[in-house]
Amino acid sequence: MTVQTKTWITGLTLAVLSLAPAADAQQKLKAAVADDIFADHPSMDKNATVMPAADAKPVAPIFSERPIGDASVARLTNGGWILTGTSLRSGARHGVELWTSPDAKKWTRVGPAKISGEGIASGDMSERYLAPSVTVAGDKLYLAFSDKMGCARIATGLAAQPGGAFKASPCLVEDASDVTLFVDEDSTGYLIWGGGMIAKLAPGFSKLAEAPRLLKPDQALFAKHPPVGKDWPVRTRVGTRGATMVRDGDRYILAASEVTGRMRTATEDLFVAEGPTPYGPFTMRALAVPHAGRGSLVRTDDGKLAAAYNPKCDDGFAMFCEQVGLVPLERAPDGRLRQAASVITEDSAVAARKALVTSETMRDPSVALGGDGHYYLVGTLDGYGYHKPDGGVKLWRSSDLKQWDEVGFIWKWEGMGYDFGKNIAELWAPEIMWSARDKTYYLAFSVMEKGVGGKTWLYRSKTGKAEGPYENVTKSFFVKGIDGFPFEDDDGLYFLWGGGSIAKLNAARSGFEGPVRQLVDVDGDHVGYEGNGLIKTNGVYFLTGAEWHGPLRTHGTYDMMYGTSKSLFGPYTQRRMGAPHGGHGTAFRDKEGRYWYTMFGNDPTAPWRMQFGLVPIDIGDAESIGLPRIDAARD
């Protein structure tokens, strides 16, 4: 597990609309609600960045001769390859380094490039130019870079002679970084730098032909769904560094990278936007390659686009670092560019796992080992939850955590002891729990009601069987708030809900005895803003919860956080991430003593979306590290 201490965290509030419960109209409005409110939700397949095939393989380095950053790759006129980037060798001052390859496997160093020009001594190789790039157009090979004074320059040479002389232009733009050159089919050149600055070049590429401008997504696209809070800045740019451009048919693709904070680490991702001209108007940005670092787009032998994959070592979840790989790209059903299904770009215990129940959508899955030796599963169904009076809580059963058989509905809406009136009531986050003390099962679930908020109910099996029937422990809802979680400790049963509220159940299980407390970490923060759960092992409590990291509702990750304590009421250790993409799930121990965490895929870089799966987790050794830790494990 990567331990990080600071992040910005915010919650995702799912809204519903009110409607008089006319039977035939309800389904139509339900579809409209989903289309409207959840159109941009990360969990929807149409927003997925990662859709790995069953035989997907991890991206592998094509270049590892030397540590390198800011990689730029281009195709030579003879079909070969050329590569440059920032040399990361300690103390290196080798100008613009160049390597060529006939097949993107075996590389030959032909640099540093022999560059001369105004303010540059003939063949000067004593400077270390940051983030140079290569462009091939016709018989010309162009190097774009910032010199030691920060001036953007373009050096021109021959594509057939990468080791030959290059003539540098005068200073084109001052205080520029990440300089690239795009040459269109009509031979017009465009200087691109930073996170999306562009200016057309005069013929010969020796000066600008216009004033620079910033390329960004067309803001009119956000008129219907304006982002709020911390979402807004990420809608006003494609990236923050390494902007570059390629043409794909009649479309211009602008790519740039940004450190987003996904997975609570220094993940630098490659984003793209497309437009009909080099100036746009551009689409909303789309995350094309997670962990890619600052890179470039290039065509492979089959004519398809691929992205350079060149992460920094700060990214704890990249497949490798300071080397270069190629990630093939494909078109999603809506036309967006994203990483191809043939590759995996994330090095985590979650990235290559598969969903286990695919017959229908599921969110917020909960699994419990029952008193009969079977495992039982419930979760939020029907997309974002059944609307009253449809559906209810459905149960699945398994003996081995692999094959899951549907049992059927174990609870429906009748007899709740609460009048929702004309409001839409949406069923969320059921939790099932076996109580060895009471020798029966408990079922908690939440209902979100438009204009009123969320409430949670607690039911108990009357037969001691997981399939019920179940009865309400009270005459109405149990608590205000959502995400109820029953927990059995040595001294009795407790109920956890919301962002960390907890209280002990009375003997009748119809209410609380004692005060309601808040579970927080040593900093006073919640350990997950929603979806809290508890397990206890070897005298240590593990409090889990869900948090978003990175750009919420766009390209962030919905991760499982946890803290540990030797006291149920804490304080808990500073929250850490236990399972990337885990989010709202349940930790449990199986019959063999192994631990698992449920997940459903709620973000665009999760390996699947809105289906139930399991992630193995390791519990660390408490004696060796003070308090044990949770790590998502590779089984």
Side-chain angles (χ1 to χ4, degrees):
M1 158 165 329
T2 301
V3 180
Q4 313 266 328
T5 58
K6 292 294 181 182
T7 187
W8 63 263
I9 299 169
T10 181
L12 172 61
T13 302
L14 304 181
V16 293
L17 299 179
S18 62
L19 172 72
D24 59 342
Q26 190 164 4
Q27 285 303 112
K28 292 181 180 179
L29 181 61
K30 184 176 179 181
V33 168
D35 289 344
D36 184 44
I37 295 178
F38 302 117
D40 195 31
H41 195 279
S43 65
M44 301 187 76
D45 277 352
K46 72 172 188 174
N47 293 325
T49 299
V50 179
M51 292 288 282
D55 58 350
K57 298 293 190 297
V59 60
I62 62 168
F63 178 89
S64 56
E65 278 71 7
R66 179 183 299 179
I68 193 172
D70 312 312
S72 176
V73 184
R75 300 304 301 271
L76 292 167
T77 50
N78 63 1
W81 300 73
I82 187 165
L83 178 147
T84 190
T86 301
S87 176
L88 300 177
R89 179 179 291 176
S90 178
R93 289 181 174 274
H94 293 151
V96 178
E97 291 275 21
L98 295 173
W99 289 265
T100 61
S101 173
D103 54 9
K105 296 177 182 178
K106 183 178 180 180
W107 294 86
T108 300
R109 181 171 177 258
V110 297
K114 301 178 180 65
I115 302 173
S116 62
E118 179 183 319
I120 301 176
S122 180
D124 182 19
M125 298 176 290
S126 63
E127 294 300 327
R128 179 173 180 256
Y129 298 132
L130 298 178
S133 64
V134 290
T135 301
V136 177
D139 63 351
K140 296 293 195 298
L141 173 60
Y142 300 98
L143 308 178
F145 60 94
S146 294
D147 67 17
K148 60 185 179 182
M149 302 301 293
C151 276
R153 297 196 184 215
I154 295 172
T156 305
L158 295 176
Q161 299 177 23
F166 288 83
K167 180 67 172 178
S169 70
C171 180
L172 299 170
V173 175
E174 295 181 346
D175 297 323
S177 61
D178 299 338
V179 182
T180 63
L181 171 68
F182 167 62
V183 181
D184 206 350
E185 292 177 355
D186 63 0
S187 299
T188 302
Y190 299 85
L191 188 73
I192 300 173
W193 67 98
M197 296 299 296
I198 189 172
K200 183 187 294 186
L201 292 165
F205 305 163
S206 60
K207 63 179 181 179
L208 301 187
E210 63 183 7
R213 68 185 79 179
L214 175 65
L215 302 178
K216 61 183 180 180
D218 182 3
Q219 297 304 290
L221 296 171
F222 308 115
K224 184 177 180 181
H225 297 288
V228 296
K230 293 177 180 177
D231 264 352
W232 181 244
V234 303
R235 302 300 187 105
T236 61
R237 61 180 180 258
V238 176
T240 57
R241 64 185 297 262
T244 186
M245 185 175 288
V246 296
R247 184 167 176 170
D248 188 32
D250 60 355
R251 304 290 289 173
Y252 293 83
I253 302 170
L254 176 66
S257 66
E258 182 170 340
V259 177
T260 61
R262 287 186 317 106
M263 306 174 72
R264 218 183 191 204
T265 189
T267 300
E268 185 172 10
D269 301 317
L270 186 69
F271 295 86
V272 298
E274 300 185 45
T277 76
Y279 305 113
F282 285 97
T283 61
M284 297 182 191
R285 78 175 191 173
L287 201 170
V289 186
H291 311 280
R294 188 252 173 174
S296 57
L297 301 182
V298 65
R299 292 199 181 275
T300 53
D301 290 341
D302 59 6
K304 295 182 179 179
L305 286 170
Y309 180 90
N310 183 212
K312 296 179 179 179
C313 292
D314 295 340
D315 187 342
F317 292 98
M319 283 293 177
F320 49 81
C321 67
E322 297 179 354
Q323 300 174 346
V324 185
L326 282 177
V327 175
L329 303 177
E330 67 180 14
R331 293 284 180 181
D334 66 354
R336 288 177 301 113
L337 274 178
R338 65 182 179 190
Q339 73 174 63
S342 59
V343 293
I344 297 172
T345 54
E346 178 181 304
D347 184 17
S348 77
V350 176
R353 297 198 67 80
K354 308 296 181 186
L356 296 173
V357 174
T358 59
S359 56
E360 58 185 289
T361 62
M362 186 181 299
R363 301 170 60 83
D364 317 313
S366 168
V367 168
L369 174 58
D372 58 1
H374 285 89
Y375 302 95
Y376 291 96
L377 163 69
V378 295
T380 304
L381 304 178
D382 197 37
Y384 296 91
Y386 279 112
H387 287 190
K388 186 179 184 297
D390 298 329
V393 177
K394 189 182 290 187
L395 183 72
W396 281 261
R397 177 170 49 217
S398 175
S399 61
D400 58 6
L401 297 179
K402 298 177 182 178
Q403 175 65 40
W404 292 87
D405 299 318
E406 184 178 316
V407 176
F409 286 104
I410 59 172
W411 177 89
K412 291 194 174 182
W413 293 89
E414 295 79 10
M416 294 183 67
Y418 184 83
D419 183 10
F420 293 99
K422 296 181 178 181
N423 291 333
I424 285 182
E426 196 169 32
L427 179 64
W428 289 355
E431 290 279 350
I432 189 168
M433 173 254 193
W434 162 254
S435 170
R437 181 186 302 269
D438 292 357
K439 294 183 173 53
T440 193
Y441 293 84
Y442 286 89
L443 182 68
F445 57 85
S446 302
V447 177
M448 179 60 75
E449 183 183 7
K450 171 64 176 178
V452 179
K455 297 180 177 65
T456 295
W457 276 255
L458 181 62
Y459 275 65
R460 174 174 48 208
S461 174
K462 295 191 293 185
T463 63
K465 297 180 180 180
E467 55 268 33
Y470 285 80
E471 62 180 351
N472 195 344
V473 300
T474 67
K475 294 181 179 180
S476 185
F477 62 88
F478 196 67
V479 293
K480 291 184 178 180
I482 62 172
D483 296 344
F485 184 91
F487 172 69
E488 185 166 34
D489 205 358
D490 297 337
D491 64 342
L493 268 64
Y494 291 80
F495 196 75
L496 175 68
W497 76 98
S501 297
I502 191 170
K504 188 176 182 181
L505 295 175
N506 59 25
R509 313 310 187 207
S510 59
F512 298 134
E513 63 177 44
V516 175
R517 306 177 186 232
Q518 289 293 315
L519 303 185
V520 296
D521 72 2
V522 292
D523 293 329
D525 295 326
H526 54 217
V527 182
Y529 81 96
E530 67 177 7
N532 285 136
L534 278 164
I535 58 172
K536 183 181 181 182
T537 179
N538 297 326
V540 177
Y541 297 89
F542 291 79
L543 173 64
T544 62
E547 289 284 7
W548 280 95
H549 297 118
L552 176 64
R553 285 187 70 90
T554 49
H555 307 111
T557 49
Y558 187 64
D559 304 314
M560 181 267 271
M561 307 296 291
Y562 77 96
T564 61
S565 175
K566 292 184 178 180
S567 166
L568 172 61
F569 301 117
Y572 285 78
T573 57
Q574 193 173 65
R575 57 190 177 187
R576 303 183 178 107
M577 187 167 70
H581 315 289
H584 185 163
T586 301
F588 67 96
R589 185 177 180 177
D590 70 13
K591 290 179 282 189
E592 285 72 40
R594 299 170 300 184
Y595 286 88
W596 300 84
Y597 192 79
T598 66
M599 68 168 281
F600 64 94
N602 197 35
D603 63 65
T605 55
W608 69 86
R609 272 143 294 282
M610 288 207 296
Q611 293 176 333
F612 160 67
L614 288 173
V615 178
I617 56 176
D618 288 333
I619 304 294
D621 179 6
E623 293 183 1
S624 65
I625 58 176
L627 280 176
R629 293 166 58 177
I630 291 178
D631 289 276
R634 292 173 172 83
D635 61 349

